[in-house]
Amino acid sequence: MNRLFTAWTENVYHRRVHSETAAAPLARWMGDQPLTVPNPADLAEALRWSEHRTVSKTALVSLHGNRYQVDPLLVGQRVELVFDPFDLSFLRVRVQGQDAGTALPFQVSRHSHPKARPETPAEEPRPTTGIDYLGLIDTAHKADLADKVNYAALGEQTSSAIDLTDLNSE
C-alpha cells in the first residue's frame, strides 16, 4: 500500500495543477516563496466551537447538561463559550469578542459535545469499474524509476566483483 501511495503521490498528485493555487503542488513547494505554516495555537483556536449563553444570577452558565462558574461581574450578560467539542472540561468565556477568562467546571456530567461524534467506519466500497487505477500508476512509477540511477545498488558491489586488471593497466 505504501508503494502504491508513493507512486500515486509522485506521478499524479504532485504533477496535477491544483484548482485553488493554480499550480502543481511540487512546483509550488519548489518555488521561491516560503510556505506559511500556521501557528499551533491559531490552528487549535480555529477548530474550537462556540455557543452563546446568558449568565444566571448565581454566576453559572449551562452547556449541554453541564454547569460552569464564571466571573460574578458577568451576571445577566450574554457570553460566548468557546470550547473543544471533545473536551467540555475547559471553556473560555468571551464578552463581545473580548476574552473574559475561564469557565470553571461546577457540575460536569457530559464530557463531549453531543454532535462531536467519533470517526465512523468507512462507507461501503463502491462497485469497481474494471480499470486497475493503482496498477496503472504503479507501472508508470516503476518505468519512471527505471530511468534513474540506483545509487544504493552501486554500493552493493564487493571488491571481488571489481576487475582489478583494469586498475593495474592504468
Side-chain angles (χ1 to χ4, degrees):
M1 200 63 171
N2 286 337
R3 181 177 48 79
L4 293 173
F5 178 71
T6 300
W8 175 82
T9 303
E10 290 180 4
N11 291 319
V12 178
Y13 177 78
H14 283 315
R15 298 169 196 257
R16 185 181 298 159
V17 175
H18 191 276
S19 62
E20 188 71 25
T21 62
L26 185 59
R28 188 160 186 237
W29 176 263
M30 301 300 285
D32 56 351
Q33 295 181 350
L35 295 174
T36 57
V37 178
N39 179 351
D42 292 340
L43 187 59
E45 181 65 24
L47 296 175
R48 297 198 193 288
W49 293 9
S50 71
E51 293 190 20
H52 290 85
R53 297 289 187 271
T54 301
V55 180
S56 71
K57 293 178 186 179
T58 57
L60 293 174
V61 289
S62 294
L63 181 68
H64 300 290
N66 298 338
R67 295 190 317 171
Y68 301 89
Q69 182 78 43
V70 298
D71 189 340
L73 297 174
L74 300 175
V75 169
Q77 293 188 42
R78 187 147 176 86
V79 297
E80 179 183 18
L81 303 174
V82 182
F83 55 93
D84 176 352
F86 295 100
D87 181 15
L88 294 181
S89 63
F90 180 79
L91 280 68
R92 297 293 302 169
V93 180
R94 291 187 187 146
V95 178
Q96 298 175 351
Q98 299 297 317
D99 188 46
T102 304
L104 300 174
F106 184 74
Q107 178 185 23
V108 177
S109 57
R110 177 183 287 275
H111 297 282
S112 64
H113 193 280
K115 291 186 179 177
R117 303 273 185 228
E119 290 186 24
T120 58
E123 61 185 45
E124 290 292 321
R126 296 182 181 165
T128 60
T129 61
I131 298 172
D132 184 10
Y133 178 70
L134 290 177
L136 294 172
I137 292 173
D138 188 37
T139 302
H141 184 64
K142 284 180 183 175
D144 187 39
L145 289 177
D147 294 336
K148 296 180 182 177
V149 176
N150 185 355
Y151 293 102
L154 294 176
E156 294 174 1
Q157 292 182 350
T158 61
S159 60
S160 62
I162 299 174
D163 188 4
L164 297 176
T165 55
D166 291 338
L167 295 175
N168 291 335
S169 63
E170 293 180 1

